[in-house]
Amino acid sequence: MIENTAASDVTDLYVSVYQSIPNSAGRLMYADTAIADLIQQAHRKHIKIWAAYGAPDWPSLGCAATSFPMQRMAEVNAYNAAHADAEFDGVALDVEPTEPQSPAEFQNLLALYQCVRNSLPQRGADRIGLAVAIRFFWDKTVYERIIDMELDHVIVMGYRDKAGTACPFDGIICLDQDQISYANRKGENNMILVGLETSNCEPGCGTDVSFYYDGQNALFEQAFLVAEHFRGSRAFGGFAVHRYRDSYLSGKPGWPAINTSE
């Protein structure tokens, strides 16, 4: 994975590190030695590793130190404290509660993001970054509140297999433009990442959401159009591809194991 992603100019990896059985350090993570080895290999290639977490029920579990989400953040802090030579660069949250959400449920989601941000070191050499994935159709007051938080990245899951144009065209550009525009007005640099779906999610997600059947060349063609459209926006920070080895960099037909595109 590290060799292929480094050769493909991937800069960050969001890695799910949770397991339900405590490791030898008592953390609900994969073995410290395995995590440290991955991080060290990645850092030698100048790739950042983010601990990926989240489940639909997380906002309802609260922000007490004993709550499940806060315990996981405490474990990230404890791991980094024990492995100064192989630290996580950040935490990536993918928390997607069941829709539709009520105003109170959105408040719980926002509170969760803020509690996680506050629980992670925010300054100095020990700083742990925070990225969150959001749905493109969340209310304006919600995504603006999220962008206003002290976050490193907001990943907009405007999943479509066509770049399209500005709204009302139902493509990636349309679905991501409001969040990028707002972050741009707020002076955020490289904050918004455009989500690209490559998993085999049909039929549940529809036929126009994933690049799974389209292949890597189609993904690159559409991503280039998106990048050209948002090139003048300081808030546009690139792309987040979901997900590794499902198709992207998998070596399957249409999806080479190394990105050979110019």
Side-chain angles (χ1 to χ4, degrees), residues 5-6 8-13 42 45-50 237 239:
T5 52
S8 304
D9 297 322
V10 172
T11 60
D12 300 71
L13 291 171
K45 297 291 187 179
H46 308 290
I47 295 173
K48 295 180 179 180
I49 297 292
W50 302 64
F239 299 94

Side-chain angles (χ1 to χ4, degrees), residues 139-158:
D139 187 79
K140 179 176 183 288
T141 58
V142 175
Y143 73 70
E144 288 185 355
R145 285 276 303 280
I146 293 170
I147 291 170
D148 288 342
M149 293 179 182
E150 191 173 346
L151 303 174
D152 294 75
H153 296 295
V154 175
I155 304 157
V156 182
M157 295 182 288

Side-chain angles (χ1 to χ4, degrees), residues 6-27:
S8 304
D9 297 322
V10 172
T11 60
D12 300 71
L13 291 171
Y14 301 148
V15 181
S16 177
V17 297
Y18 171 79
Q19 69 169 2
S20 58
I21 301 172
N23 64 18
S24 60
R27 294 187 267 272

Side-chain angles (χ1 to χ4, degrees), residues 171-208:
I172 297 169
I173 289 172
C174 170
L175 301 186
D176 289 46
Q177 67 181 17
D178 290 345
Q179 291 83 357
I180 291 176
S181 177
Y182 180 74
N184 206 46
R185 294 198 303 273
K186 298 294 289 186
E188 299 290 352
N189 292 315
N190 303 314
M191 172 183 268
I192 307 297
L193 302 182
V194 171
L196 300 175
E197 179 64 85
T198 70
S199 69
N200 183 12
C201 61
E202 296 178 14
C205 67
T207 60
D208 63 345

Side-chain angles (χ1 to χ4, degrees), residues 87 123-128:
E87 294 179 328
R123 297 288 184 271
D126 295 330
R127 184 180 186 277
I128 298 177

Side-chain angles (χ1 to χ4, degrees), residues 20-246:
S20 58
I21 301 172
N23 64 18
S24 60
R27 294 187 267 272
L28 297 185
M29 289 179 168
Y30 291 106
D32 278 21
T33 52
I35 293 173
D37 180 58
L38 173 67
I39 292 175
Q40 288 171 339
Q41 290 192 52
H43 285 177
R44 283 195 290 269
K45 297 291 187 179
H46 308 290
I47 295 173
K48 295 180 179 180
I49 297 292
W50 302 64
Y53 284 100
D57 66 340
W58 272 33
S60 66
L61 300 179
C63 291
T66 56
S67 72
F68 188 86
M70 293 302 102
Q71 287 179 333
R72 305 290 74 76
M73 297 307 104
E75 289 176 345
V76 170
N77 287 332
Y79 168 87
N80 273 16
H83 299 277
D85 59 341
E87 294 179 328
F88 287 112
D89 298 286
V91 169
L93 293 182
D94 185 3
V95 180
E96 301 177 50
T98 303
E99 302 290 349
Q101 293 186 66
S102 68
E105 289 169 327
F106 272 125
Q107 288 297 328
N108 288 340
L109 177 67
L110 294 171
L112 170 70
Y113 288 162
Q114 193 61 62
C115 288
V116 170
R117 175 66 280 172
N118 292 342
S119 72
L120 302 173
Q122 300 182 51
R123 297 288 184 271
D126 295 330
R127 184 180 186 277
I128 298 177
L130 180 61
V132 303
I134 69 172
R135 288 175 168 161
F136 71 87
F137 54 80
W138 282 352
D139 187 79
K140 179 176 183 288
T141 58
V142 175
Y143 73 70
E144 288 185 355
R145 285 276 303 280
I146 293 170
I147 291 170
D148 288 342
M149 293 179 182
E150 191 173 346
L151 303 174
D152 294 75
H153 296 295
V154 175
I155 304 157
V156 182
M157 295 182 288
Y159 293 154
R160 291 293 184 270
D161 63 359
K162 293 291 187 294
T165 59
C167 294
F169 188 95
D170 187 23
I172 297 169
I173 289 172
C174 170
L175 301 186
D176 289 46
Q177 67 181 17
D178 290 345
Q179 291 83 357
I180 291 176
S181 177
Y182 180 74
N184 206 46
R185 294 198 303 273
K186 298 294 289 186
E188 299 290 352
N189 292 315
N190 303 314
M191 172 183 268
I192 307 297
L193 302 182
V194 171
L196 300 175
E197 179 64 85
T198 70
S199 69
N200 183 12
C201 61
E202 296 178 14
C205 67
T207 60
D208 63 345
V209 167
S210 177
F211 287 95
Y212 180 80
Y213 290 108
D214 302 323
Q216 179 176 278
N217 287 340
L219 181 145
F220 288 157
E221 288 171 2
Q222 299 305 311
F224 175 80
L225 295 175
V226 173
E228 283 295 298
H229 182 84
F230 292 121
R231 187 174 299 280
S233 299
R234 63 189 294 180
F236 170 60
F239 299 94
V241 180
H242 183 257
R243 56 187 222 196
Y244 172 77
R245 292 299 297 272
D246 213 18

